[in-house]
DNA sequence: ATGGTGACGTCGG
DNA sequence: GCCGACGCCACCA
């Protein structure tokens, strides 16, 4: 049960700098599963067991906190992001493209 | 082994 | 510009 995908997703998410966010699609693409962003999100479901995996820094391509409902509280994700210096409005990341952290460019660079 | 599901993404109307 | 449907691949029952 190596669960390679999980390991990879965790590794990337764990590398996300504080105050930055990334999208499922970006991670999926970095993993090579470009067409299956769902896998990334699903992997996050298991990430609950990992304290080093800031799932709250991972949002969808629109910058919406789609997974907020899976945290302890529906507002927990927003609270965590705001604590990182990220501005959240209506469950959406402001300046998403500005704080967006692209693993492909950052890691491959 | 098969079916169903999922914290998404993209295309079409 | 907004809404709906399909597709993707891995895990669980």
């Amino acid at each position: 049960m190596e669960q390679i995908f999980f390991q990879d997703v965790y590794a990337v998410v764990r590398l996300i700098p504080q105050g930055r966010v990334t999208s499922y699609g970006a991670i999926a693409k970095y993993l090579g599963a470009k067409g299956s962003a769902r896998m990334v999100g699903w992997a996050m479901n298991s990430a609950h067991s990992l304290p080093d995996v800031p799932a709250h820094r991972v949002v969808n391509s629109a910058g919406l906190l789609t997974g907020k409902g899976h945290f302890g509280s529906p507002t927990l994700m927003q609270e965590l992001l705001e604590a990182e210096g990220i501005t959240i409005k209506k469950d959406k990341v402001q300046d998403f493209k500005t704080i967006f952290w692209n693993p492909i460019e950052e890691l491959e660079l």
Side-chain angles (χ1 to χ4, degrees), chain A residues 2-21:
Chain A
E2 271 52 81
Q3 292 158 343
I4 312 104
F5 271 34
F6 290 27
Q7 290 280 321
D8 226 339
V9 174
Y10 300 153
V12 177
V13 175
R14 209 180 314 162
L15 291 170
I16 301 174
Q18 186 176 23
R20 298 280 200 219
V21 294

Side-chain angles (χ1 to χ4, degrees), chain A residues 72-89:
Chain A
S73 298
T75 55
L76 179 61
M77 190 173 185
Q78 180 174 335
E79 296 286 314
L80 292 170
L81 289 171
E82 289 181 326
E84 307 245 328
I86 300 171
T87 305
I88 307 299
K89 187 76 173 219

Side-chain angles (χ1 to χ4, degrees), chain A residues 1 5-6 15 24 27 49 52 64 77 79 83 96 106:
Chain A
M1 317 301 233
F5 271 34
F6 290 27
L15 291 170
Y24 303 95
I27 299 173
S49 302
D52 290 49
L64 291 171
M77 190 173 185
E79 296 286 314
F96 173 62
E106 297 294 327

